[in-house]
Structure formats: C-alpha cells, structure tokens
Amino acid sequence: FLADGAMEGSAPACTSTTTTTTTSSTTFTSTTATFTSTTTTSTTASSTSTTSATTSTSTTTPIPGSCYPPDVAADAETEGCSGVFPPSGTCMVRCKAGYVGTPTIYTCFLADGAMEGSAPACTSTITTTTTSSTFTSTTTTFTSTTTTSTTASSTSTTSATTSTSTTTPIPGSCYPPDVAADAETEGCSGVFPPSGTCMVNCKAGYVGTPTIY
C-alpha cells in the first residue's frame, strides 16, 4: 500500500505433515530378597574327674616270724604294721590326708603270713564338680533389595519461529513480508504500490492455504 513500507496480509495457517511421536519408555528393576539364617550350636561336653583307688603290694621282707604288713589302697596308710608277731599282734590302717573314714585294725595270726583285716572306707574331702554347658548362637542376616521403577518420557515438539528479512528492497518497492519458519514467499521482491501483490506459501512438509500479500 505504501512505498518503502511493509506489505500487508495474513500469514497462512500451516500445519506440519510430520507426525509428532511421543515415546514412553518404562524400565523395571526386579527385586531380589535373600533371607539367610545361620544357626551355630556349640556344645561343651562335660568332663568328670574320677579318682580310683589302686592297691599297692608291699615287697618289704618282714622280720623272720612276723607278719607281712597289710596291702592297702592308695587312699590309706598303715601305722605300726612292721614287726608285728602272731598270734595277736595288731596294727592300724587309716585314711590318708585328704580323705576321711574310720580306721580299722589288722591282726597277725600266723608267722610269715599276711595280716588280716578290713580296709577302711575312705572318702575324698576334695569336692569334684562336674559342669555341663551348652551355648547356642544364632546369626540372622536379612538382605532386602528395593524395587525401583523409573519411567522416562521424551516428547518431540516442533515450534515455528519467525525470521525477519533484512534485505534492502528496491527503492520505491515494498519490503518482502516477514513469514514464519514454516512458510516461504513467492515473488515478493520488487513489488510496487499501490496494488502490487505476492504469494506466501507453506514450505515443503507443511500444508495450508496460500495467502496473498
């Protein structure tokens, strides 16, 4: 309409022929749960200390005509049993230190024979304690893996931008119209007023009705 002015008109409504696809990707992580139970049993076996009495045999040669001293257990001892003569010689057998019991009397009846009598019943004064202990140790380990589900969504968006023409027009002609990135001009350079026109079309890949400027 005016020399050295901008051409006037309505830009075409351009629609992209390219289909915009939205891709949704979903990732799942499986859960692994491990339950480990370990039971350890330690048993201490009981031990009992038992003292057994053994019999020792005297090999001492007695005085001729006397009796042999009596054989006594390890928990007993004789007193005055050497040089005892028959028919009525006697001596004592008693419990050793650390043992208790009633002393007994042995008698010599025959020359060069063994003295006769009953051994004392000796009991140890040391107390033997038997301990039995059982220990049970249980170790429990619980391992848990948390499930994480992540959804990533990517969207492709096409935007139209407007470019401004900086081309200097022919003196007296109109400036070519500014069009969006999805449109293009046709014959819009060197158009003179008052009734010069040109066409604005949609670019390849877009559809729309061309307009006249």
Side-chain angles (χ1 to χ4, degrees):
F1 294 106
L2 297 175
D4 299 322
M7 298 187 73
E8 298 180 11
S10 298
C14 299
T15 302
S16 175
T17 58
T18 302
T19 303
T20 300
T21 304
T22 300
T23 303
S24 179
S25 175
T26 305
T27 302
F28 296 96
T29 303
S30 61
T31 301
T32 301
T34 303
F35 183 80
T36 304
S37 177
T38 304
T39 302
T40 304
T41 303
S42 175
T43 304
T44 302
S46 61
S47 59
T48 303
S49 176
T50 305
T51 303
S52 59
T54 58
T55 302
S56 60
T57 302
S58 174
T59 58
T60 303
T61 302
I63 300 172
S66 67
C67 289
Y68 282 90
D71 293 328
V72 296
D75 56 2
E77 60 185 2
T78 61
E79 182 180 346
C81 293
S82 295
V84 179
F85 293 87
S88 56
T90 61
C91 73
M92 182 182 294
V93 176
R94 62 187 178 187
C95 296
K96 285 184 177 180
Y99 296 88
V100 292
T102 303
T104 58
I105 301 299
Y106 276 68
T107 304
C108 177
F109 291 108
L110 297 173
D112 299 322
M115 299 187 72
E116 298 180 15
S118 297
C122 299
T123 304
S124 175
T125 58
I126 299 174
T127 302
T128 301
T129 303
T130 300
T131 304
S132 178
S133 301
T134 300
F135 299 95
T136 300
S137 176
T138 302
T139 301
T140 303
T141 302
F142 181 75
T143 303
S144 177
T145 302
T146 304
T147 301
T148 302
S149 177
T150 304
T151 301
S153 178
S154 61
T155 302
S156 175
T157 304
T158 302
S159 60
T161 59
T162 302
S163 62
T164 302
S165 174
T166 59
T167 303
T168 302
I170 299 171
S173 67
C174 292
Y175 281 89
D178 292 330
V179 295
D182 56 2
E184 60 187 359
T185 61
E186 181 180 343
C188 292
S189 295
V191 179
F192 291 88
S195 56
T197 61
C198 73
M199 183 178 295
V200 177
N201 298 311
C202 293
K203 284 185 176 180
Y206 296 87
V207 293
T209 303
T211 59
I212 301 298
Y213 276 68

